[in-house]
Amino acid sequence: MLKIDQYNPVQALKKSGAQAESQVVKTEPQAQGSSPDHNAIGATTRQLQQAFAELDQQPDVDLDKVTAIKQALASGQFKLNDAQTAQDLLEFHKK
């Protein structure tokens, strides 16, 4: 039977983001004359933090899709192209 692991390339990104977030250095607020670049970086950081928070709310695996694929495989309705699957695996591991 086909085994579906819980590998998710987004998880690596989430971990990297969490590590980066933990490495953020807190500084004292600057005087009123802070540069526009500093404000843009702060806004971007807030957007990234919000995106990672939303990503954390998503399930790691779409269990409904996994169930549908398992049923299609069991009933013979889901056909795999062995040559294409092998090629895709090779391409994935070349990265």
Side-chain angles (χ1 to χ4, degrees):
M1 175 162 230
L2 179 66
K3 180 179 178 185
I4 299 175
D5 292 337
Q6 290 187 3
Y7 174 77
N8 187 345
V10 175
Q11 266 185 300
L13 177 63
K14 284 177 20 180
K15 289 179 184 174
S16 298
Q19 290 169 349
E21 188 175 322
S22 69
Q23 295 173 354
V24 172
V25 177
K26 304 269 184 197
T27 60
E28 293 297 320
Q30 291 184 350
Q32 288 180 336
S34 64
S35 70
D37 290 339
H38 180 72
N39 291 336
I41 292 170
T44 302
T45 301
R46 282 190 294 280
Q47 288 175 337
L48 282 172
Q49 289 172 341
Q50 181 181 1
F52 280 115
E54 291 173 9
L55 188 59
D56 283 337
Q57 299 299 320
Q58 299 296 318
D60 291 333
V61 177
D62 183 349
L63 295 178
D64 292 335
K65 188 172 182 178
V66 170
T67 302
I69 291 172
K70 282 183 177 182
Q71 289 174 349
L73 283 168
S75 67
Q77 295 174 336
F78 190 89
K79 301 293 182 192
L80 293 174
N81 180 338
D82 295 337
Q84 184 63 48
T85 302
Q87 184 63 38
D88 291 344
L89 284 169
L90 289 172
E91 289 298 320
F92 176 80
H93 287 288
K94 284 182 182 178
K95 295 178 185 179

